[in-house]
Amino acid sequence: MTKHTPPTIWVLGASSGIGKAVALAYAKKGASLVLSARRVADLEQTQKECQVHTDHVWVEPLDLADTSSHQGVADRVKSHLGHLNVLFHSGGITSRTEASEAAMDVERRMMEVNYFGVISVTKVAMPMLENAKGHVVVITSVAGKLGTQFRSAYAASKHALHGWFDSLRLEIETKGMHVTLVCPGYIATPLTLHALTNDGSALGEMSEKQTKGMPAYVFASKLLAKLSSKPHEVIIGGAEVMSIRLKRWAPKLLHAILKRSKVT
Ligand SMILES: NC(=O)c1ccc[n+]([C@@H]2O[C@H](COP(=O)([O-])OP(=O)(O)OC[C@H]3O[C@@H](n4cnc5c(N)ncnc54)[C@H](OP(=O)(O)O)[C@@H]3O)[C@@H](O)[C@H]2O)c1
């Protein structure tokens, strides 16, 4: 009989929201996990909750914007897990800025965290993924497919991920690796609390639509069920995800709808 080896997963953004829910869902499947983000106490809380289901959970703090530190963290991930079956990107921030008014530092910060940080971690994780014919899963957004009012910086960073990871997929599929881009609709997490405003200060309030969105644990369970077939793209959410289809097939109609809609 062959011995069952638990899947090895590195979850970025595991201190909160979608990343935390995904880490817990993998823990319930008996996975070995490394949890990363900046807030250590929150990561340790996720670790504690995961340890109810699996013994192999490590915390490795990481700041996506500090790309020079990423190789060192990857080396420690390797010492825990050896190879990587799944690299799961859920780390990120959002914006509530006006395109013409936001400070350039805010535009850059969004790209540093949501784009450069994510691709940097992917590069340092690649040898571990190659060993396992691994799977890179990237949480982008409906805003990775279309722009709306007050999300210009966020939408730009998420569109960039689609371009980069579509290219990566074509390059690494021949080596047996996979890339899935995930576009969630409104998921109930504290994401907008920390949204960057024009001057870089945090918005400090929750988006009403997000508060009423899909619970993160429901999202995680729907997503994990879909990932086994290694799809190129997954879209999960409520009626709002229809906007992705409209953008493709009826862009003028979508524009008219967005112009009239209250964006929170
Ligand atoms: N909630 C939604 O409706 C929704 C919809 C579409 C897409 N998304 C995407 O889903 C992902 C997860 O967001 P969420 O909704 O779960 O919000 P969240 O609860 O605020 O989680 C964001 C995660 O990103 C981490 N993070 C932020 N800045 C970081 C940095 N500089 N370095 C490392 N980690 C950082 C946070 O951890 P620390 O603060 O501890 O670093 C946290 O773990 C994001 O990429 C977001 O764009 C969310």
Side-chain angles (χ1 to χ4, degrees):
M1 206 163 73
T2 52
K3 190 170 163 271
H4 171 73
T5 47
T8 52
I9 326 273
W10 184 8
V11 183
L12 286 296
S15 61
S16 174
I18 292 173
K20 177 173 182 173
V22 162
L24 276 165
Y26 276 123
K28 286 178 187 165
K29 291 178 181 288
S32 298
L33 291 156
V34 173
L35 311 174
S36 293
R38 292 166 304 171
R39 286 170 292 168
V40 175
D42 294 278
L43 287 171
E44 285 172 350
Q45 179 58 35
T46 307
Q47 179 186 39
K48 214 164 114 190
E49 293 175 37
C50 288
Q51 280 169 337
V52 173
H53 310 285
T54 175
D55 293 332
H56 309 289
V57 192
W58 295 269
V59 164
E60 286 296 344
L62 176 141
D63 184 345
L64 284 165
D66 182 11
T67 53
S68 65
S69 71
H70 293 176
Q71 185 61 60
V73 182
D75 292 344
R76 290 193 290 281
V77 173
K78 188 165 191 275
S79 71
H80 300 309
L81 301 178
H83 62 271
L84 255 192
N85 293 116
V86 180
L87 172 65
F88 197 104
H89 281 295
S90 191
I93 48 175
T94 190
S95 63
R96 286 299 179 277
T97 51
E98 292 157 286
S100 56
E101 297 292 330
M104 276 311 293
D105 282 352
V106 173
E107 305 282 358
R108 288 206 173 86
R109 173 80 186 159
M110 194 64 53
M111 295 304 281
E112 292 294 351
V113 175
N114 284 8
Y115 175 64
F116 290 118
V118 172
I119 70 165
S120 164
V121 169
T122 307
K123 285 169 192 275
V124 296
M126 204 44 72
M128 285 185 277
L129 287 160
E130 215 166 325
N131 282 344
K133 299 197 185 312
H135 188 180
V136 185
V137 182
V138 191
I139 302 289
T140 72
S141 175
V142 171
K145 296 285 191 173
L146 53 106
T148 65
Q149 302 92 315
F150 314 124
R151 285 178 177 77
S152 47
Y154 181 63
S157 70
K158 295 295 187 177
H159 275 67
L161 290 175
H162 278 265
W164 196 86
F165 280 98
D166 278 344
S167 300
L168 177 76
R169 181 189 298 113
L170 287 162
E171 294 172 13
I172 66 175
E173 252 177 6
T174 50
K175 298 176 190 166
M177 290 180 275
H178 305 274
V179 174
T180 299
L181 288 155
V182 185
C183 306
Y186 292 115
I187 312 300
T189 73
L191 181 69
T192 47
L193 212 54
H194 315 289
L196 299 184
T197 58
N198 284 350
D199 63 3
S201 59
L203 183 67
E205 59 189 64
M206 293 289 299
S207 129
E208 196 187 319
K209 286 179 182 165
Q210 216 162 43
T211 311
K212 293 179 182 161
M214 183 182 288
Y217 75 90
V218 175
F219 172 82
S221 132
K222 282 178 188 278
L223 176 59
L224 261 59
K226 288 176 187 280
L227 287 180
S228 51
S229 65
K230 315 279 197 302
H232 289 183
E233 253 177 45
V234 175
I235 299 169
I236 299 174
E240 69 280 1
V241 300
M242 273 302 293
S243 57
I244 294 178
R245 307 264 176 263
L246 284 179
K247 173 72 177 174
R248 186 172 178 90
W249 303 112
K252 283 192 174 165
L253 174 61
L254 175 66
H255 180 79
I257 293 169
L258 289 175
K259 226 169 142 178
R260 283 199 310 269
S261 67
K262 185 178 169 238
V263 180
T264 63

